[in-house]
Amino acid sequence: MAKIKVDGIEIDIAPEATLLQAAEAAGAEVPRFCFHERLSVAGNCRMCLVEVKGGPPKPQASCAMAVKDLRPGPNGEAPEIFTKTPMVKRAREGVMEFLLINHPLDCPICDQGGECDLQDQAMAYGVDKSRFNLNKRAVEDKDIGPLVKTVMTRCIQCTRCVRFTAEVAGVGDLGLISRGEDVEITTYLETAMASELQGNVVDLCPVGALTSKPYEFTARPWELTKTESIDVMDALGSNIRVDTRGRETLRILPRVNEAVNEEWISDKTRHVVDGLKTQRLDRPYVRVNGKLRAASWGEAFATIAARVKTTGSKRIGFLAGGLASVEELFALKDLATSLGVASIDARFDGSALDPARGRASYLFNATVEGIDEADALLIIGSNPRMEAPVLNARIRKRWLKSKLAIGVIGDHADLTYAYHYLGSGSRSLEALVSGEIGFIETLKAAKKPLILLGEGAVCGADGAAVLGLAAKLAAIVEAVKDGWNGFSILHTNAARVGALDVGFVPGAGGLTATQMLQPGALDVIFLAGADEVDVPEGAFVVYLGTHGDKGAHRADVILAGSAYTEKSGTYVNTEGRVQLANRAAFPPGDAREDWAVLRALSGVLGAPLPYSSLSDIRASLYQRHPHLAEIGTILPGDPADVARLAELAGPVAGSALTSPVADFYLTNPIARASKTMATCSALAKTRALDAAE
């Protein structure tokens, strides 16, 4: 550690820290526009100027100078910097004056108003007049896609957006052209941005040059109620803030959580908002003479009860979808148990994962933060860029920092980083385990190898065998040892780990999801938000969900539930971290929270559940599954579980290990109801066709 004085306060700090970071550690406030902790240093806005004692007789850019670059005093005193001297004040006022020379000063019509760094710093360092009377420069706005609106005359060329797309997102979407006063930020050849993380440039932009196009002119920040919650668009569980006005959800922004999403979110997470109010189910429906008609809750429950009471428990099945909270899964399992139903499952994609094999068999055991420690990575049956873009950005960050050796078995896709392509199917994994592919030596040489399995690897005919082969490989390369468990499952559904934790899988004699969906297997099927399945004709279908999607179209009775922003629920992310989503709004019309619907239905079915409030259901949940009460923490799996998985290894059929996410923007009912996501999906397909040509 090095010693440095900031405004007379002596602190110890790492020599590699910048003067700006040292000043903040000492409690001094230093303004900045171009500097960002997660991006490379640009040093081009000059707003962070400080005075260095014994240095040049001019202010220094604190973001571009490290503590180790300072000289000690003549008698070995600690270097000293000042952040509040008259020199610094004049310098910052001069920089602000230059920044405002060409700025349009259109705060009343700018979407950034009230959240603008330039506004804040102009209040602190601006002056009430300008010495410049030349015409302001105007820059043509750019069309860079359906998500980001540009007003480039406001741009101060901080280049945060350029550095983000190049360094974090890993695409060459934005760049700087021309020089001097003519410099502009634009897309190359004026094409739309292609990254699944592009919406983050709106948060990074310190002025109103880049704003959210779908949110344009919608609301001012002081009109909104802000609620901290959890994202369910993928299994990462990104921390988000939901902004509402009245009963309407207007926007979603990221929250900082270093252990999960840092401060990024995907475009689907951010812009799925319009899907929350489109094609919503706001009341129960009952199918009469082949057509659905609106009904009361009592009528819907009576229709279900009449059918259930004439059907044997072995002919009834419960399927849960990918957006369900732990509370409703727990209540649904209890309802099935009270009815004597053993056919329950949340693995609607046919996954071979089973909680009976231990928690380590289905978690991302290395943890998201553990990616920063891995020194070799094998990806099997997954496309992290489509399945969890923020996690993929973390892999890229590790690759940039250490040139992480990466091998891929599965889709040969653009992951934004270089990798060794080892094959497309399960036979390639078999060959790797047997030593026929050289990448196994890279894994063996690594101190902390990470084996990442996607759901494309553990589903289908080869699912169990691939799971066993991966566990066998983990043993061969010592990916599981004291202090490190590199055997990691990347899920695609937010509800999957929570469902496995509470045991939402078939009981003794029960059918799996694949078996339930066979023609004639069941007479009554209850779908709890399960829209990604094809229910055979002849079965009586009860659908509990939020949107008029595939499940609702097939249903005989529809029960209107609540979306993730409209209920308080627990979600367990892919690494096993328990997180709490808070209610930000209320469901439309007569729709109710899912657990409450199940509790009311259980009474009509003659098997009332033993809880009547959310606190009651959580008390019962925590009693049976104590780790779910530890919000924000991870209960690690037993490494021995991975060793036992190797027993599943056997001959494979040679199936392709393809990612289940074919269209990133349309993976769930909320996304499919979103006009913004539909536009992005169409643009992505057009881009793919153009690339193929």
Side-chain angles (χ1 to χ4, degrees), residues 146 152 230 464 583 636:
M152 300 313 292
I230 301 298
R583 183 172 64 190

Side-chain angles (χ1 to χ4, degrees), residues 357 360-361 365 470-472 474 480 485 487 638-646:
R357 301 190 184 109
S361 69
N365 294 293
K472 185 176 180 181
V480 182
N485 187 343
F487 183 84
D638 185 353
D641 297 339
V642 180
R644 285 191 291 269
L645 277 180

Side-chain angles (χ1 to χ4, degrees), residues 219-359:
R220 288 298 193 186
W222 52 84
E223 301 174 333
L224 304 175
T225 301
K226 303 165 179 65
T227 306
E228 295 184 350
S229 192
I230 301 298
D231 172 53
V232 300
M233 293 297 111
D234 56 39
L236 182 62
S238 297
N239 287 216
I240 59 174
R241 192 188 83 195
V242 181
D243 289 356
T244 57
R245 183 173 59 190
R247 297 176 65 94
E248 186 178 10
T249 300
L250 296 183
R251 70 173 177 179
I252 293 174
L253 297 176
R255 285 190 293 128
V256 176
N257 188 326
E258 299 292 347
V260 182
N261 59 305
E262 298 180 303
E263 62 182 82
W264 318 123
I265 55 174
S266 72
D267 292 336
K268 184 166 54 177
T269 299
R270 184 185 300 268
H271 292 293
V272 79
V273 171
D274 59 326
L276 290 168
K277 53 190 174 185
T278 306
Q279 294 185 321
R280 285 302 301 271
L281 301 173
D282 59 355
R283 67 193 70 181
Y285 290 85
V286 173
R287 191 176 297 276
V288 178
N289 297 325
K291 293 185 178 181
L292 289 169
R293 65 167 179 82
S296 66
W297 282 103
E299 184 181 356
F301 288 160
T303 304
I304 297 170
R307 188 61 183 261
V308 169
K309 289 176 180 178
T310 59
T311 306
S313 61
K314 291 185 178 180
R315 302 291 295 176
I316 301 174
F318 290 74
L319 274 177
L323 304 182
S325 69
V326 172
E327 286 84 355
E328 61 208 59
L329 289 165
F330 182 74
L332 194 60
K333 183 184 178 185
D334 277 359
L335 177 59
T337 301
S338 63
L339 294 174
V341 174
S343 298
I344 64 172
D345 209 347
R347 303 165 301 176
F348 53 84
D349 50 10
S351 171
L353 300 175
D354 191 336
R357 301 190 184 109
R359 203 164 190 250

Side-chain angles (χ1 to χ4, degrees), residues 265-573:
I265 55 174
S266 72
D267 292 336
K268 184 166 54 177
T269 299
R270 184 185 300 268
H271 292 293
V272 79
V273 171
D274 59 326
L276 290 168
K277 53 190 174 185
T278 306
Q279 294 185 321
R280 285 302 301 271
L281 301 173
D282 59 355
R283 67 193 70 181
Y285 290 85
V286 173
R287 191 176 297 276
V288 178
N289 297 325
K291 293 185 178 181
L292 289 169
R293 65 167 179 82
S296 66
W297 282 103
E299 184 181 356
F301 288 160
T303 304
I304 297 170
R307 188 61 183 261
V308 169
K309 289 176 180 178
T310 59
T311 306
S313 61
K314 291 185 178 180
R315 302 291 295 176
I316 301 174
F318 290 74
L319 274 177
L323 304 182
S325 69
V326 172
E327 286 84 355
E328 61 208 59
L329 289 165
F330 182 74
L332 194 60
K333 183 184 178 185
D334 277 359
L335 177 59
T337 301
S338 63
L339 294 174
V341 174
S343 298
I344 64 172
D345 209 347
R347 303 165 301 176
F348 53 84
D349 50 10
S351 171
L353 300 175
D354 191 336
R357 301 190 184 109
R359 203 164 190 250
S361 69
Y362 59 84
L363 292 186
F364 197 96
N365 294 293
T367 73
V368 176
E369 282 189 300
I371 293 172
D372 299 337
E373 302 176 29
D375 48 3
L377 169 64
L378 175 65
I379 300 174
I380 306 170
S382 176
N383 181 341
R385 182 176 177 183
M386 296 292 108
E387 297 171 19
V390 177
L391 183 139
N392 191 66
R394 197 138 192 168
I395 295 175
R396 174 178 166 78
K397 182 177 76 170
R398 178 61 176 164
W399 173 77
L400 283 174
K401 183 178 179 180
S402 64
K403 291 305 174 187
L404 177 70
I406 302 173
V408 172
I409 297 177
D411 296 331
H412 196 178
D414 178 8
L415 299 180
T416 72
Y417 40 79
Y419 59 82
H420 303 278
Y421 187 62
L422 309 177
S424 62
S426 54
R427 294 202 188 281
S428 298
L429 176 60
E430 198 174 45
L432 179 65
V433 173
S434 64
E436 298 174 29
I437 297 178
F439 192 76
I440 193 171
E441 299 303 325
T442 302
L443 293 172
K444 286 180 178 179
K447 294 181 179 179
K448 292 187 175 181
L450 198 163
I451 299 174
L452 186 158
L453 277 83
E455 291 193 358
V458 298
C459 297
D462 276 344
V466 168
L467 190 62
L469 282 172
K472 185 176 180 181
L473 177 64
I476 293 172
V477 302
E478 297 184 356
V480 182
K481 53 192 172 184
D482 288 343
W484 177 254
N485 187 343
F487 183 84
S488 302
I489 307 293
L490 177 59
H491 295 275
T492 57
N493 300 292
R496 184 61 55 85
V497 175
L500 295 174
D501 273 356
V502 299
F504 201 90
V505 293
L511 304 180
T512 65
T514 304
Q515 293 168 337
M516 286 188 230
L517 297 173
Q518 296 300 314
L522 296 174
D523 294 331
V524 176
I525 300 180
F526 195 106
L527 303 179
D531 290 273
E532 277 65 47
V533 297
D534 293 312
V535 181
E537 293 297 325
F540 181 85
V541 178
V542 180
Y543 176 77
L544 171 60
T546 59
H547 286 73
D549 205 80
K550 189 174 181 179
H553 292 170
R554 175 63 185 84
D556 294 287
V557 178
I558 295 174
L559 306 176
S562 300
Y564 69 106
T565 57
E566 299 160 359
K567 61 188 176 186
S568 179
T570 304
Y571 290 91
V572 187
N573 77 348

Side-chain angles (χ1 to χ4, degrees), residues 576-632:
R577 186 181 302 275
V578 183
Q579 301 189 105
L580 194 63
N582 295 306
R583 183 172 64 190
F586 289 90
D590 290 333
R592 295 291 183 267
E593 291 190 50
D594 302 67
W595 74 265
V597 173
L598 295 171
R599 172 63 183 85
L601 176 61
S602 69
V604 177
L605 294 177
L609 297 175
Y611 25 76
S612 56
S613 67
L614 185 59
S615 58
D616 287 346
I617 190 174
R618 283 182 175 163
S620 183
L621 173 67
Y622 298 159
Q623 183 179 6
R624 277 189 259 172
H625 306 281
H627 73 281
L628 295 176
E630 303 296 326
I631 305 299

